[in-house]
């Protein structure tokens, strides 16, 4: 799976979990850019992403990401 | 099962028009998502929950400081979630030689919490985990973590047995059923201190609020059962009672023995059992009368309906005899067709989906937790007989030309008592269960009743009815308080089994006597509407009370009152 496909699927997950159709993600998107992306919905996002991609994140990864790009890096690493 | 996402969406519903239930949530870890689940689950039940969420890890400051926000909020229910992870942390920090006091320490905390709030305290118990220090030997060491944790869980049950304001959500059992990996998301718990996984939150929220609903009188009181392939294997009409699959030998027959044992235990706990079956009546009764492996006997069944009418029609008949709401009924049937038909026609009746294989019935039924309850009393075992008598009464009332003649023929007697140790559990149970004939719907626990009884200005009267068909038991309660402007009726409630027999007239006559004895010239009654007590909305005017300036408040002049004619003799 390439970067673009991963970001596409992440976008779907974000839209679904945060209940907003107008979210579009880029590598640079951070929690500051999306009002509904707070520490609470972050937990829901992680669980939803794990389920969608069939992987598990470590607790270090969960806390480390600064933006969607780093999230995608973790996913690339696990999937390929 | 509802998912967390669904609950999150539901949690945004606005139900503010409905009477609120005030709940506070406090925990030693991150509880925000549990709060969302509680809101969503309440909305799913159509209940307007006003939820106070304490800040992170504020259990002691919120509960033990009397001026805390939690206390000022004034919740009816306080949900307390303290996690196994934090308990283990506390254990680890203790000096080695004090670790055998862990359970005792936590139990004394809970005791303090109980004393600091008048609310009902709903405590989550502790899912088990080991700290891998003693291996199997941990069972023999009273200061091992698992030993103390089990002692604590048992101690909570013991405490709850003696305090009706303490209720337990059995997280430990939930974990035993679904497994620890589903209960806790370790990576998430480390990074966020959320000690319950997202997947389990809907279950925990449901089980927590089921306790609240039960305390408010919303719970299932009656189990209606189909017969063929629900109580036994095969069709009795085809096979005869000798041929049905039932018994302890090989095969599917023992599954039905297990189900019948469950049903009989429910009956012993106070649930009313009824049968609704498409069968010839005499063929349907034969297994109950003759089959050696039947656990349920005719004595266990309050209402037995076997004919060829539709099930919905027969359930309506059961409803008329028992006089309880459809939402207090559960209907069990193996046929998806019958289940759907009943769901369509009587949407309030709970009709659980059953798996195809009867071997799975019990697993499914137990996961649904259909019969939450908060009080059991010794009167329950006698109730089935009373309902059977009621069915006979219904039959005999058809043959009288007028109501007076019928009421006379019943030869009713009523005994009036104050609160006693013997009747206290039943009185508490009636205040919690009665919804329809209940003027103000005030719920009392046994402790609260005993306290109230100490008050010289408060009067509790119980009414125990009997007639020529048998004893109906304690069926009515009046609680009155002497106030400057007269005797105020704090509670007036009656079991719906004895409607239309003039018991309310008898009760009013007794109340007027009481008012005269304690020097009150008038009686003040109040009607507080609830979703279910519409039947008594005009009780006071119909009894001769006059409207006062305050909406829903009525006054009766004691001096000019003439006793109402009724056909009940005081014993």
């Amino acid at each position: 799976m390439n970067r673009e496909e991963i970001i596409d699927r992440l976008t779907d997950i974000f839209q679904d979990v945060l209940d907003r159709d107008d979210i579009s993600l880029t590598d640079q998107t951070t929690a500051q850019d999306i009002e509904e992306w707070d520490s609470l919905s972050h937990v829901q996002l992680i669980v939803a992403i794990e389920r969608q991609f069939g992987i598990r994140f470590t607790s270090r990864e969960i806390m480390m990401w600064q933006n969607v790009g780093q999230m995608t890096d973790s996913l690339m690493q696990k999937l390929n | 099962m509802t998912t967390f996402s669904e609950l999150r969406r539901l949690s945004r519903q606005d139900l503010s028009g409905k009477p609120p239930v005030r709940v506070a949530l406090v925990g030693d870890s991150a509880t925000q998502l549990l709060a969302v689940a509680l809101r969503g689950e309440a909305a799913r039940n159509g209940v307007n929950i006003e939820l106070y969420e304490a800040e992170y890890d504020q259990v002691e400051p919120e509960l033990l400081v009397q001026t805390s926000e939690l206390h000022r909020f004034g919740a009816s229910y306080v949900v307390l979630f303290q996690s196994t992870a934090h308990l283990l942390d506390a254990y680890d920090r203790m000096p080695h030689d004090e670790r055998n006091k862990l359970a005792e320490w936590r139990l004394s905390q809970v005791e303090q919490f109980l004393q600091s709030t008048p609310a009902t305290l709903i405590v989550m118990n502790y899912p088990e985990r080991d700290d891998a220090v003693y291996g199997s030997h941990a069972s023999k060491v009273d200061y091992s973590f698992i030993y103390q944790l089990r002692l604590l869980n048992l101690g909570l049950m013991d405490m709850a047995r003696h305090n009706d304001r303490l209720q337990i959500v059995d997280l430990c059992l939930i974990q035993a059923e679904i497994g620890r990996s589903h209960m806790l998301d370790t990576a998430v718990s480390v990074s966020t201190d959320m000690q319950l996984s997202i997947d389990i939150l809907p279950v925990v929220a449901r089980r927590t609020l089921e306790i609240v609903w039960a305390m408010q009188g919303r719970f299932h009181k009656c189990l209606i059962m189909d017969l063929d392939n629900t109580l036994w294997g095969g069709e009795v009409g085809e096979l005869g009672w000798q041929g049905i699959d039932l018994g302890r030998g090989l095969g599917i027959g023992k599954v039905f023995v297990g189900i019948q044992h469950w049903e009989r235990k429910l009956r012993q706990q106070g649930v009313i059992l009824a049968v609704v079956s498409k069968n010839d009546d005499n063929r349907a009764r034969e297994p109950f009368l003759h089959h050696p492996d039947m656990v349920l006997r005719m004595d266990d069944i309050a209402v037995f309906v076997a004919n060829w009418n539709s099930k919905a029609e027969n359930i309506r008949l059961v409803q008329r005899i028992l006089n309880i709401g459809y939402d207090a009924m559960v209907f069990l049937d193996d046929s998806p067709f019958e289940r759907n038909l009943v769901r369509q026609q009587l949407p309030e009746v709970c009709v659980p989906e059953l798996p195809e294989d009867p071997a799975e019935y019990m697993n499914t039924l137990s996961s649904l937790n259909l019969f939450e309850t908060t009080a059991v009393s010794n009167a329950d075992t006698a109730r089935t007989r009373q309902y059977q008598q009621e069915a006979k009464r219904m039959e005999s009332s058809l043959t009288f030309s007028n109501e007076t003649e019928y009421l006379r023929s019943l030869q009713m007697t009523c005994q009036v008592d104050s609160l006693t140790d013997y009747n206290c559990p039943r009185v508490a149970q009636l205040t919690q269960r009665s919804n329809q004939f209940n003027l103000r719907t005030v719920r009392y626990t046994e402790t609260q009743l005993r306290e109230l009884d100490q008050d010289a200005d408060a009067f509790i009267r119980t009414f125990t009815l009997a007639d020529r068909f048998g004893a109906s038991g304690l069926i009515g309660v009046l609680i009155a308080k002497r106030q400057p402007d007269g005797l105020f009726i704090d509670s007036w409630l009656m079991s719906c089994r004895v409607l239309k027999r003039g018991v309310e007239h008898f009760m009013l006559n007794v109340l007027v006597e009481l008012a005269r004895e304690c020097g009150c010239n008038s009686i003040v009654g109040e009607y507080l509407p609830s979703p279910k007590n519409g039947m008594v909305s005009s009780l006071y005017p119909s009894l001769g009370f006059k409207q006062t300036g305050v909406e829903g408040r009525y006054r009766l002049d004691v001096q000019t009152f003439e006793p109402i004619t009724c056909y009940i003799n005081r014993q």
Side-chain angles (χ1 to χ4, degrees), chain B residues 142-157:
Chain B
D142 71 348
Y143 48 83
S144 75
F145 181 65
I146 191 69
Y147 194 105
Q148 287 296 313
L149 183 146
R150 287 182 178 149
L151 206 56
L152 172 53
N153 280 344
L154 191 64
L156 284 171
M157 293 203 281

Side-chain angles (χ1 to χ4, degrees), chain A residues 4 8-9 28-29 32 46 57-58 63 67 71 79:
Chain A
E4 237 165 76
D8 271 357
R9 284 173 72 175
Q28 283 73 44
T29 311
Q32 265 86 54
I46 287 161
F57 293 119
T58 64
M63 289 184 282
N67 55 33
M71 207 180 239
L79 291 169

